[in-house]
Amino acid sequence: MEQYFLSALSLVSNVGYILALVIGVAAGILLGALPGVSAPMALSMLVPLTYTVEPEIGFGLLIGLLNGVVFGGSIPAVLVNIPGTPGAVVSTIDGYQMTLRGEAGKALGVVLIASFVGGIFSILCLIVSAPAIAAIGMKFAPHDYFAIGVLGLCITTGISGKSVLLGFWSAMLGVLISTVGMDYITSQHRFIYGVTGLLDGIPFLPIMVGLFGFSQVLVNMTEPHENQKIVVQKISRLLPTWRECKGLVKSITQGSVIGTLIGALPGPGGSVAAFVAYDAIRRTSNRDFALDPHDFGSGRLEGLAAPEAANNAVTGGILIPALTLGIPGDASAAIILGALMMHSITPGPLFFQNNLDIVYLFYNSLIISNIFMIVIGVACLRIFVKLLSISTETLTPIILIMCATGAYTIQNDYFGIVVMLIFGFVGYAFRWAEIPAMPLVLGVVLGSIIEKNLRQALIIEGGSYMGILLRPSSGLLLLLSCTMLFVPYIKNVIKYAMEKKK
Amino acid sequence: MKKQKFIGFSVLLLSLIFLFMSAALPIDSRNFNSSPRTLPLLVSAVMVIFSAGHLLFPSFSIEPATINKKVMFRVLIFLSVILAYTLIIEKIGYVASTFALAMLSSMMMGIRGYKQTLCFSLILSLGTWLLFTKAFSAYLPSGTLF
């Protein structure tokens, strides 16, 4: 504990770190507020920058950005009914209704408070639970890690996109991509065909930049778009009254718990957490109309606070499996894991033994960035709202140049741009085919974990798959994975056949 | 051909290619089941089964395929521009090539006015160069121009 506070003290006195956090949060709020810029996209644009600076500055920037984007996405959701990020979709329901009746300032104030509380709650859960989970993780055998990786992929494919099969294909393609390069046990070259740049595998970050950033540029460049000049009404009083705040305790608490739990599961992410939290508060609210005369759907404060708390609580939640087991909860966590690996740090149970300084850096950055988020939010919200009017015409070349430059600096070679180009086109084709990109990203990250542990387990078991299936813990997890995959798949087949008959 | 069938065929083809490429990888004689080809072979085989299964028993329906030729042409043109950028970045330098890319992309996006596009591209290329090289000490190629 003493070491933790000393680490916090040394960080707070580091001007470069504080500046990185402030820039991260401010840039995050701004990027999140721009419709079409999601958290993975913003992170993938800025990750290359962290490679050349000290870890505390680099990770401070990333954590600040992550917190800022999640909050920023709710600004256009409340003000103009356009969610900046997928997690802010639910906030349009009651938030925009409040704006229509001239309470935009109060709505944004509720968003700020709920986001702050949700964020802090999830960080506390991370701090409390992470060492315990990491300790349990130390007892896991390769069989279990293999099964956890498979489960993570199956959960993701089950809930992302239009069909389980589309998500499954995307994830499997990601796993296949992860196998490109030199085999880590036998040093055998796989799928390289003379391209020396592929010896260490396809670089992860240009894949991310391509899938999330460059594919969006392609969409903006090639498809007809409307000039998105957003006109926003004036922001008046920002914070709700003390009495109103007290009325939001239940919704914010509920949202924070739901967000943290859902965030800790690999796959669902902020949008699912926000929907579940909204539904939960709608069912359990005692609807005190004396305190708030509006019902859900017509601008009720509780209807905005719960999803916002959940959406922000996901930030800490996704880092629980990511840091303790090395299993990313969503694409944002996958990028942060990628950034850690760029600094030669391997997340997982040993992370808490070997890299305690980085663990404390994460904890402190999450807490401090949440504090900065509320300070910057209150002080600069009016400026961010004005910047919302930036047009797609101006934004697209900026994103393009940032993506290309970032992809180049990862390896100081044009090979990064080529990878970005290829995966940008893949992302574009995925959008056309309605195939979700997120399972592919998780497939790339989890692929190496799955392969490493599968092969270790097979060596232990003398090459027998039955040893993995018959071990109680891994067998149970694999059974759960099959259920997660096959039940919705069979349901889809039956539903489609019925539709066709009709 | 319906969009879902087209996707199914594409995935089947891709997984068959991966299956054959994986099968060509050598086997570790000491650990037959734990060789470099274990996972790629397993994954591509599962993909073949699922994509073939989808063609026989479809599980989803999406709108019929419509490929807008004009849009595809713009995509190809734009990809060629970026490819040209990757080829010249190390030869003529980061700032000059990025300036050209910013000019082209701004024109493709329809930013009006010659002076406006010029100023915007200049600020963007110099701004990112300053940000990456000075603030973050990253290496960007200087080339023959800048």
Side-chain angles (χ1 to χ4, degrees), chain A residues 49 52 162-163 165 173 183 186 188 190 193 221 393 405 408 417 421 428 432 455 458 463 465 492 496, chain B residues 3-4 14 21 26 33-34 36 38 50 58-62 71 74 82 86 90 94 105 109 132 136 141:
Chain A
L49 296 179
T52 50
K162 196 164 184 169
S163 152
L165 197 57
L173 189 63
D183 176 45
T186 60
Q188 172 72 41
R190 293 187 296 189
Y193 305 108
M221 281 278 176
E393 283 82 1
T405 313
Y408 184 89
I417 308 179
L421 193 73
Y428 185 77
W432 174 81
R455 288 178 61 188
L458 283 171
Y465 285 94
N492 276 2
Y496 181 74
Chain B
K3 201 173 180 178
Q4 61 258 40
L14 188 75
M21 289 194 321
N33 266 344
S34 178
T38 305
F50 271 85
S59 64
F60 61 87
S61 87
I62 41 184
V71 168
R74 278 177 74 94
I82 304 291
T86 60
E90 286 178 348
Y94 173 80
S105 56
M109 282 305 293
F132 276 84
F136 296 102

Side-chain angles (χ1 to χ4, degrees), chain A residues 120-326:
Chain A
I120 293 288
F121 177 84
S122 70
I123 298 157
L124 293 178
C125 288
L126 171 70
I127 294 173
V128 171
S129 66
I133 296 172
I136 296 168
M138 294 285 282
K139 289 174 187 156
F140 284 175
H143 312 54
D144 306 315
Y145 274 111
F146 162 70
I148 290 172
V150 173
L151 180 66
L153 277 189
C154 289
I155 294 175
T156 314
T157 57
I159 54 155
S160 55
K162 196 164 184 169
S163 152
V164 181
L165 197 57
L166 289 171
F168 179 71
W169 282 335
S170 175
M172 291 297 105
L173 189 63
V175 174
L176 284 177
I177 288 166
S178 77
T179 62
V180 175
M182 201 193 289
D183 176 45
Y184 85 107
I185 294 179
T186 60
S187 301
Q188 172 72 41
H189 295 182
R190 293 187 296 189
F191 316 125
I192 290 177
Y193 305 108
V195 183
T196 48
L198 292 175
L199 272 174
D200 289 332
I202 303 177
F204 175 65
L205 289 167
I207 295 178
M208 298 293 304
V209 175
L211 278 176
F212 292 103
F214 187 62
S215 68
Q216 183 63 47
V217 171
L218 271 177
V219 171
N220 292 354
M221 281 278 176
T222 54
E223 286 174 7
H225 53 270
E226 286 169 26
N227 194 353
Q228 292 179 349
K229 279 269 177 194
I230 297 166
V231 182
V232 186
Q233 62 167 269
K234 256 191 163 181
I235 306 292
S236 52
R237 191 171 65 90
L238 200 61
L239 295 173
T241 62
W242 177 241
R243 194 166 158 261
E244 283 168 330
C245 282
K246 276 204 287 187
L248 296 175
V249 171
K250 184 183 172 186
S251 56
I252 292 178
T253 312
Q254 217 172 42
S256 304
V257 174
I258 290 171
T260 308
L261 290 176
I262 290 181
L265 296 173
S271 48
V272 175
F275 269 110
V276 174
Y278 185 76
D279 187 52
I281 194 64
R282 211 163 47 92
R283 285 170 196 273
T284 58
S285 170
N286 53 12
R287 287 176 170 74
D288 183 356
F289 288 112
L291 187 67
D292 186 352
H294 308 281
D295 203 355
F296 288 96
S298 55
R300 190 169 179 80
L301 286 175
E302 283 180 298
L304 181 61
E308 275 306 317
N311 189 17
N312 280 266
V314 166
T315 317
I318 56 169
L319 291 175
I320 296 175
L323 298 183
T324 55
L325 303 173

